[in-house]
Amino acid sequence: MKLKSAGIIGIGSYLPEKIMTNKDLEQIVDTNDEWIRTRTGIEKRRIATTQEATSDLSLEASKKALESANIQAEDLDLVIVATITPDMSFPSTACIVQDKLGAKNAGAFDLTAACSGFIYGISIAKQFVEAGVYKNILVVGAETMTKILDWKDRNTCVLFGDGAGAVVISTVEEDEGIKNVTLGSDGSGGSVLNKPAGGSRMPVTHEALENRMNYLKMDGSEVFKFAVRKMAAETKKVLEEANVDIEDIDMIIPHQANIRIIEGAAKRLKVGLDKMHINLNEYGNMSAASIPVALDEAYRKGKIKKKDKIVLVGFGAGLTWGASYIKWSI
Ligand code: ACO
């Protein structure tokens, strides 16, 4: 059986209106604009209101992706939402989006791979489309990270922001589309980045709340070392599998956690920062939303054109990582 080629036929993103600058953070924790900018590159981030949940951000990004793909919600066969900040444990955020969107012919599920979630999501969509099982799949990366941050912990609360990005994946011309995807994980590193309470291991009890265990915890320097190494290695790996030279790549969309991580990876790959689309100064680390939001921005700014060769590469809690080589199809 001849496989079809799966590719992105529509893309959209949504960011909450409220902006929190580094100066604003100075009022909340013992930090300063200079420290945050020089150590991370982040200048501001978007913050969801108390009324806005991850499904709300997902919905807006999804509507734009459907419009860009020029298809209706009824045409969707599957909705995948990659997130570590679902509206609630269950039902899935994907089911909430499926309902609000009116995707009445679609299956729906959430996917947990933290900042690598969007790449994991497109890898699943690629298989279904190429095998001819489904035609149109919506993949969303969405987070309201600010809802799980400990606003008393300056080590973490300055780093993250909220947002959502979505793509529709369908059949495209044979020489275009999502050509290769690599995925990886190392669960032994789970404790360097996690949210301990709220699951079956540590339900939300008074004690858990008193110990602030319902917030994101991170060993920043461990994640940093792992991230620089993995971003470069995974980019090389996916390009090797695709038999493409890094010199032929038009744009790399890296996960947006820290400018120093991106610089470190660029150095290892021997590419200039002009080949990397960077927007973490504006939005901080939006976990699973970072890559699709950056991809949408690069596309809308005309930095990515049809048939361009691009790489998506990310890492995150799990630990997880992944990369994708794509020949842009819109
Ligand atoms: N403002 C001022 N000072 C601070 C702040 C802050 N916001 N945060 C930490 N500091 C202090 C520390 O307390 C420390 O002080 P000390 O030396 O007196 O103890 C000092 O600054 C240096 O801290 P380091 O941790 O050494 O700073 P570093 O240069 O390593 O940067 C950072 C920390 C930004 C967290 C970095 O390690 C990093 O970016 N790590 C990767 C994080 C990441 O990518 N996480 C997301 C993963 S994706 C996902 O799945 C969600």
Side-chain angles (χ1 to χ4, degrees), residues 115 118-119 253-256 287-296 312-314:
C115 307
F118 181 73
I119 292 173
I253 309 283
H255 174 51
Q256 311 277 321
S287 184
S290 277
I291 289 177
V293 169
L295 188 60
D296 184 42
L312 315 182
V313 59

Side-chain angles (χ1 to χ4, degrees), residues 30-31 35 39-40 114-115 154-155 158-160 193 218 220-221 223-224 255 257-258 260-261 285 315-317:
D30 180 16
T31 189
W35 191 97
R39 295 297 180 109
T40 72
C115 307
R154 68 177 184 174
N155 292 294
V158 303
L159 303 175
F160 298 92
L193 181 51
M218 183 175 72
S221 60
V223 178
F224 192 98
H255 174 51
N258 185 322
R260 292 187 294 134
I261 293 175
N285 180 350
F315 62 91

